[in-house]
């Protein structure tokens, strides 16, 4: 499950070591030396995960983590803190900022890769290759296949990603902006109504088996995948 990982680390040797190992594990790594540069990256494109060093020049990693969590747009980005501090109290402080995990230096690259995988599986299930099955609808990321009541459903790449995103977060409402961030990644040049276009195509593909009702519009809020019957909002 390749992910776009933003690595915020000011020590070049450690940055290099981590980047080499993550690239080898199949991830795409964007490297920055401080939180200010990380903020600029995040403003344009949301990474799938952020690896954040605690001690940084300028804005600290803890402060940056706090800002990420306070902003609705970035609050859900999986976050792993890297630190030289091993104290229990610091660990608690790190997790209180909203980090999903906490790794103390020095760590083995293998451990880091395993922790990333665990956090992605928990926080961003659509980044994994695990098949998802709900209400007779089955999506298999490995084979890129979707079936509805055992009948093959042909979807375009965007509809596939959209369905994967919605199915791995059922019963939750997602605004168009959130969908753009998560499905399109860089949405600077994409209009919100593009989401509506692809939702329409997705519903049309699911209509023959009656699964289109699973993709619900929540007026004024966005979209939701729900197995709890038709939406009346
Ligand atoms: Ca540092």
């Amino acid at each position: 499950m390749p992910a776009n990982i933003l690595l915020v680390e000011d020590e070049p040797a450690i940055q290099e070591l981590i980047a080499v190992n993550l690239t080898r594990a199949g991830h795409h790594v964007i490297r920055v030396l401080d939180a200010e540069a990380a903020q600029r990256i995040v403003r344009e494109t949301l990474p799938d995960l952020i690896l954040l060093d605690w001690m940084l020049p300028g804005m600290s990693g803890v402060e940056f983590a706090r800002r990420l969590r306070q902003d609705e747009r970035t609050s859900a980005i999986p976050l792993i803190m890297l630190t030289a501090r091993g104290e229990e109290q610091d660990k608690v402080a790190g997790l209180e900022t909203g980090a999903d995990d906490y790794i103390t230096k020095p760590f083995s690259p293998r451990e880091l890769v395993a922790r990333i995988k665990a956090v992605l599986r928990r926080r961003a299930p659509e980044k994994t290759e695990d098949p998802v099955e709900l209400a007779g609808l089955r999506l298999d990321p490995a084979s890129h296949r979707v079936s509805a009541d055992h009948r093959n459903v042909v979807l375009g790449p965007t509809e596939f990603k959209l369905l994967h995103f919605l199915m791995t977060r059922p019963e939750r409402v997602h605004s168009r902006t959130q969908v753009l961030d998560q499905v399109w990644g860089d949405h600077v040049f994409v209009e919100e109504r593009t989401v509506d276009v692809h939702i329409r195509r997705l519903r049309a593909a699911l209509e023959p088996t009656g699964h289109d009702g699973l993709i619900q519009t929540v007026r004024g809020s966005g979209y939701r995948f729900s197995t709890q019957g038709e939406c009346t909002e």
Side-chain angles (χ1 to χ4, degrees):
M1 48 173 179
N4 290 313
I5 298 176
L6 175 60
L7 170 59
V8 194
E9 168 63 69
D10 62 309
E11 285 160 72
I14 296 177
Q15 193 196 68
E16 177 70 18
L17 177 74
I18 294 174
V20 164
N21 281 283
L22 294 186
T23 306
R24 199 173 290 155
H27 299 298
H28 176 63
V29 185
I30 310 146
R31 313 183 198 189
V32 291
L33 295 162
D34 54 50
E36 288 77 6
Q39 264 184 321
R40 286 194 293 275
I41 301 271
V42 168
R43 218 169 282 146
E44 287 169 25
T45 313
L46 291 186
D48 298 321
L49 183 137
I50 299 178
L51 274 180
L52 179 60
D53 186 28
W54 178 297
M55 299 293 278
L56 291 167
M59 191 196 304
S60 76
V62 173
E63 177 55 27
F64 182 51
R66 228 171 252 136
R67 291 190 189 193
L68 287 169
R69 288 304 184 239
Q70 279 165 5
D71 184 344
E72 193 214 346
R73 190 174 159 257
T74 57
S75 62
I77 302 177
L79 179 66
I80 299 177
M81 299 287 295
L82 302 173
T83 181
R85 301 167 177 227
E87 303 282 324
E88 194 58 28
Q89 208 177 332
D90 291 328
K91 184 170 177 169
V92 171
L95 293 173
E96 273 176 356
T97 61
D100 295 284
D101 203 354
Y102 183 102
I103 300 180
T104 307
K105 297 175 194 170
F107 47 80
S108 77
R110 183 187 275 202
E111 184 192 356
L112 179 65
V113 169
R115 298 270 200 112
I116 287 173
K117 197 171 177 180
V119 167
L120 283 176
R121 177 154 284 148
R122 196 167 78 234
R123 293 293 307 277
E126 82 282 3
K127 303 291 177 208
T128 72
E129 302 274 273
D130 301 343
V132 209
E133 192 159 5
L134 284 167
L137 201 58
R138 187 174 200 278
L139 182 146
D140 184 0
S143 63
H144 225 267
R145 286 213 166 123
V146 175
S147 62
D149 293 337
H150 307 290
R151 284 161 67 182
N152 190 37
V153 178
V154 180
L155 293 180
T158 305
E159 284 72 45
F160 185 89
K161 280 177 80 177
L162 186 56
L163 182 62
H164 197 190
F165 172 73
L166 293 171
M167 282 185 79
T168 46
R169 290 172 169 74
E171 312 303 336
R172 266 182 275 176
V173 182
H174 310 283
S175 70
R176 287 169 178 80
T177 310
Q178 285 168 336
V179 173
L180 283 173
D181 272 335
Q182 299 299 326
V183 178
W184 275 259
D186 184 352
H187 66 88
V188 179
F189 306 107
V190 185
E191 288 178 71
E192 289 203 349
R193 65 169 180 221
T194 303
V195 177
D196 305 337
V197 171
H198 289 278
I199 287 277
R200 252 198 317 272
R201 284 186 199 159
L202 179 56
R203 282 190 181 133
L206 297 176
E207 209 186 339
T209 50
H211 288 81
D212 51 316
L214 295 168
I215 316 290
Q216 303 175 348
T217 304
V218 182
R219 199 181 297 165
S221 302
Y223 294 103
R224 162 175 70 198
F225 185 97
S226 176
T227 56
Q228 326 250 312
E230 282 291 342
C231 180
T232 50
E233 284 159 277

